[in-house]
Amino acid sequence: MRLNSARTAWHDCLYSQWNSNAAHFAMIQELGVGVQKTELDNSVGICAHRALAGRIQSAIATLPRRLQLFGHHMYAPGNSDDLREEAEALVFELAYGRGERMYAKRIPKAQAVAAGVLHRYRRMHQGGQSAAPDPLPTPEGFRAWVLDERGVALASESWAREWGGFVSACFLACDDLDKQALIPVSAAISLMLEAA
């Protein structure tokens, strides 16, 4: 398990290593489902991974539930619609709470915008080093994604005035939630590296 970043550690602590990926996929092909065998690989590398993973998982468990779900959506190897929806709701609530009030008819559009910003933020920060390019850097591309994925049409007229502030608030919300979620993981990594 790599301890070079909290994001990578979050991913790796939830990833189960197999002795042989080829053997595992052959079993899935043959049986139609993956089956855990009773024999475990207790090699030194696997045991070390499990020990480090347990420390990171314990750190994650100290977070409030919603922050855990946000972090799992961002960095866990598997993902689900439930995790995504919870993360989107959290980003929307935080951004909306910090910004200007809006009419009720505008809230569904704002929720779609928050979902689009989270999608962008997640894609930019996956891989552990936050170096990926913005997948939707232009307002046109962003509006097209919101329309395709959420079925919500956003007007292009006065885009910056209409949505610029809320998009910025959503990015700030994502950044704040990300930092809060990674604090205990970073602390656990620091303690493990000091002990090494």
Side-chain angles (χ1 to χ4, degrees), residues 10-174:
W10 191 307
H11 174 274
D12 291 352
C13 81
L14 300 171
Y15 179 75
S16 298
Q17 295 179 342
W18 292 86
N19 290 346
S20 166
N21 283 336
H24 174 67
F25 290 117
M27 176 180 52
I28 290 175
Q29 181 67 30
E30 183 179 331
L31 301 176
V33 67
V35 177
Q36 179 179 345
K37 297 180 180 179
T38 55
E39 60 207 50
L40 293 174
D41 181 2
N42 288 323
S43 64
V44 173
I46 299 292
C47 289
H49 172 82
R50 289 181 188 143
L52 295 174
R55 297 282 300 270
I56 301 298
Q57 289 172 2
S58 293
I60 292 169
T62 65
L63 291 167
R65 181 180 176 276
R66 293 188 85 190
L67 272 179
Q68 286 182 37
L69 295 176
F70 180 84
H72 289 325
H73 172 68
M74 290 290 295
Y75 306 115
N79 211 332
S80 70
D81 288 339
D82 291 338
L83 286 175
R84 178 186 48 77
E85 289 169 3
E86 185 68 32
E88 290 171 357
L90 191 55
V91 169
F92 171 75
E93 289 170 18
L94 190 57
Y96 181 73
R98 291 178 176 173
E100 61 190 52
R101 299 294 169 229
M102 43 181 91
Y103 293 110
K105 68 179 184 176
R106 191 170 175 215
I107 288 179
K109 289 183 179 184
Q111 290 170 326
V113 168
V117 170
L118 178 61
H119 169 76
R120 291 169 66 185
Y121 188 87
R122 182 173 184 253
R123 295 279 303 272
M124 291 164 40
H125 292 81
Q126 282 182 324
Q129 301 305 320
S130 299
D134 186 346
L136 304 168
T138 64
E140 295 80 21
F142 182 73
R143 286 193 309 272
W145 184 91
V146 170
L147 182 60
D148 290 345
E149 294 295 319
R150 302 298 164 155
V152 174
L154 300 170
S156 62
E157 300 83 29
S158 62
W159 170 258
R161 182 177 55 80
E162 188 81 17
W163 292 106
F166 188 70
V167 167
S168 295
C170 288
F171 270 114
L172 286 173
C174 288

Side-chain angles (χ1 to χ4, degrees), residues 6 10 59 62-63 176-190:
W10 191 307
T62 65
L63 291 167
D176 288 347
L177 291 167
D178 195 20
K179 287 176 184 174
Q180 290 173 28
L182 295 175
I183 286 172
V185 176
S186 297
I189 291 171
S190 293

